[in-house]
């Protein structure tokens, strides 16, 4: 029997989650908001931003391959509703 990965148990438990492996990060921006760093990454071949937050700065993920678990949501930016993917788990390959 195969061992269940953390990503697999998350996607089994929460049906709205999607897991993608070996995605190439084209750009990675970190900005401070209150006491958090909001991280926004763009992935190769995908036109939607992926966001997550951390308590401290991390090294850039640009040009790295990552495995991510995420779900779609919408954000209001300057009066426009934009689709954004919220990352719940990210790991460098």
């Amino acid at each position: 029997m195969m061992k269940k990965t953390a990503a697999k148990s998350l996607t089994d438990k929460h049906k709205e989650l999607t897991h993608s492996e070996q995605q190439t990060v084209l750009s990675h921006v970190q900005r401070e908001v209150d006491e958090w760093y909001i991280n926004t990454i763009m992935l190769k071949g995908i036109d939607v931003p992926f966001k997550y937050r951390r308590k401290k700065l991390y090294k850039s993920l640009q040009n790295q391959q990552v495995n991510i678990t995420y779900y779609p949501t919408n954000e209001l930016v300057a009066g426009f509703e934009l689709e954004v993917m919220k990352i719940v788990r990210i790991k460098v390959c």
Side-chain angles (χ1 to χ4, degrees):
M1 192 163 117
M2 277 181 54
K3 185 176 152 248
K4 236 183 183 182
T5 64
K8 179 81 176 117
S9 29
L10 273 173
T11 54
D12 284 351
K13 205 179 294 181
H14 306 282
K15 297 297 179 205
E16 70 278 6
L17 288 177
T18 303
H19 181 72
S20 298
E21 298 201 340
Q22 295 183 316
Q23 299 293 314
T24 303
V25 178
L26 293 180
S27 71
H28 180 198
V29 176
Q30 301 181 71
R31 61 189 168 83
E32 197 170 0
V33 175
D34 299 322
E35 295 173 12
W36 291 92
Y37 284 96
I38 306 298
N39 291 259
T40 304
I41 61 173
M42 293 300 291
L43 299 176
K44 186 177 186 177
I46 302 173
D47 291 335
V48 177
F50 288 74
K51 294 179 125 182
Y52 62 97
R53 49 188 218 162
R54 294 287 185 260
K55 280 290 193 181
K56 60 182 185 178
L57 275 174
Y58 281 79
K59 66 180 183 186
S60 177
L61 294 175
Q62 192 157 340
N63 299 320
Q64 295 281 338
Q65 294 263 307
V66 294
N67 294 344
I68 55 174
T69 306
Y70 60 93
Y71 63 93
T73 187
N74 291 312
E75 267 185 19
L76 203 58
V77 179
F80 294 95
E81 196 169 282
L82 298 177
E83 186 178 32
V84 173
M85 299 298 166
K86 287 278 192 194
I87 297 176
V88 294
R89 187 169 180 274
I90 184 166
K91 189 172 180 161
V92 176
C93 298

